[in-house]
């Protein structure tokens, strides 16, 4: 079991650390709803950052333990499957990668807020 010292979930720069899972190699048929459904079976999902048709998504979990369990279920460097396809890959966003994600999200929210009738990027 992970200890709080090994992977603390704390607030830094306006976000909680160690909750983000970056997914790659998503099939074109993936939807935001299908990601939420799939990952909620592993651990409670707080938010899914995904645009239909994209090969990448970010899932924010309610707890670090949930994010860790989901990361363990999907290796970061999967091998080709029997059909020659790359399975879904996942890794926890931490450190600079995590900070860059939140900075980009905050910039996107600010840009949308400045436009009349814009929808918040954090809305699910």
């Amino acid at each position: 079991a992970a200890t709080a010292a090994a992977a603390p979930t704390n607030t830094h720069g306006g976000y909680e650390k160690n909750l983000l899972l970056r997914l790659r190699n998503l099939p074109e048929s993936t939807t935001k709803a299908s990601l939420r459904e799939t990952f909620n079976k592993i651990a409670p999902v707080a938010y899914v950052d995904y645009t239909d048709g994209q090969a990448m998504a970010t899932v924010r979990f309610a707890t670090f333990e949930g994010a860790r369990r989901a990361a363990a279920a999907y290796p970061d460097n999967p091998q080709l499957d029997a059909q020659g396809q790359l399975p879904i890959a996942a890794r926890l966003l931490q450190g600079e990668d995590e900070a860059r994600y939140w900075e980009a999200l905050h910039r996107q929210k600010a840009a949308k807020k400045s436009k009349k009738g814009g929808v918040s990027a954090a809305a699910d």
Side-chain angles (χ1 to χ4, degrees):
T3 64
T9 300
N10 56 17
T11 302
H12 176 72
Y15 63 87
E16 279 193 72
K17 294 172 69 175
N18 301 309
L19 301 180
L20 300 174
L21 187 68
R22 173 64 48 81
L23 305 173
R24 298 185 332 270
N25 308 334
L26 296 173
E28 286 185 26
S29 60
T30 301
T31 65
K32 196 172 192 176
S34 68
L35 288 171
R36 180 177 289 281
E37 181 181 338
T38 297
F39 285 94
N40 263 324
K41 291 176 183 174
I42 298 171
V45 170
Y47 182 73
V48 176
D49 186 357
Y50 178 69
T51 302
D52 288 350
Q54 297 297 308
M56 189 169 65
T58 303
V59 177
R60 181 170 25 118
F61 287 87
T63 65
F64 165 73
E65 183 59 27
R68 187 198 62 74
R69 280 197 319 266
Y74 293 88
D76 188 23
N77 293 306
Q79 301 299 312
L80 292 176
D81 65 16
Q83 291 77 37
Q85 301 294 313
L86 269 177
I88 294 172
R91 70 178 176 88
L92 286 173
L93 284 187
Q94 295 179 312
E96 288 184 27
D97 290 338
E98 183 180 39
R100 277 193 295 271
Y101 171 85
W102 285 112
E103 288 167 8
L105 183 66
H106 291 306
R107 281 193 307 273
Q108 181 182 19
K109 284 174 65 173
K112 286 185 178 188
K113 195 179 260 189
S114 70
K115 294 179 181 179
K116 288 194 175 220
V119 177
S120 171
D124 195 18

